[in-house]
Amino acid sequence: MPLMAPLADLLGFERQIAVFAFQYGDGITNSIIPTSGVLMAALAIAGIPYDRWLKFVWKLIAGWLIIAAAAIVIAMMIGIK
């Protein structure tokens, strides 16, 4: 996260948008990465293999990515400060 503010300044958009992008990316990837302890513990307790989970959730993740990208584009267009 400490790199996001200077990167936003360098690219010429508001720092708040960089925070949005970081939060969207972090939240979405935590639902699919196998190194997330909480995700793997929940799958283990439920008895669901990771590959089955990935096959089930990939459409949802794709939808979230589209929504997040649209939200970031809208935020840039309206000039959130």
Side-chain angles (χ1 to χ4, degrees), residues 23 31 69 73:
Q23 288 178 332
S31 300
V73 168

Side-chain angles (χ1 to χ4, degrees), residues 20-39:
F20 284 159
F22 179 82
Q23 288 178 332
Y24 286 139
D26 183 49
I28 292 169
T29 57
N30 282 339
S31 300
I32 59 169
I33 58 172
T35 55
S36 172
V38 174
L39 173 65

Side-chain angles (χ1 to χ4, degrees), residues 4-30:
M4 298 299 279
L7 185 61
D9 293 340
L10 183 66
L11 295 175
F13 56 87
E14 296 294 327
R15 291 179 173 192
Q16 187 66 32
I17 295 172
V19 172
F20 284 159
F22 179 82
Q23 288 178 332
Y24 286 139
D26 183 49
I28 292 169
T29 57
N30 282 339

Side-chain angles (χ1 to χ4, degrees), residues 1 12 19 23 29 37-38 45 51 55 57 59 62 64 69 73:
M1 189 63 214
V19 172
Q23 288 178 332
T29 57
V38 174
I45 290 170
D51 59 341
K55 288 178 187 174
V57 81
K59 291 179 186 176
W64 285 347
V73 168

Side-chain angles (χ1 to χ4, degrees), residues 50-72:
Y50 179 71
D51 59 341
R52 186 172 165 203
W53 168 253
L54 204 54
K55 288 178 187 174
F56 172 75
V57 81
W58 78 268
K59 291 179 186 176
L60 179 63
I61 298 299
W64 285 347
L65 287 172
I66 291 168
I67 291 169
I72 291 171

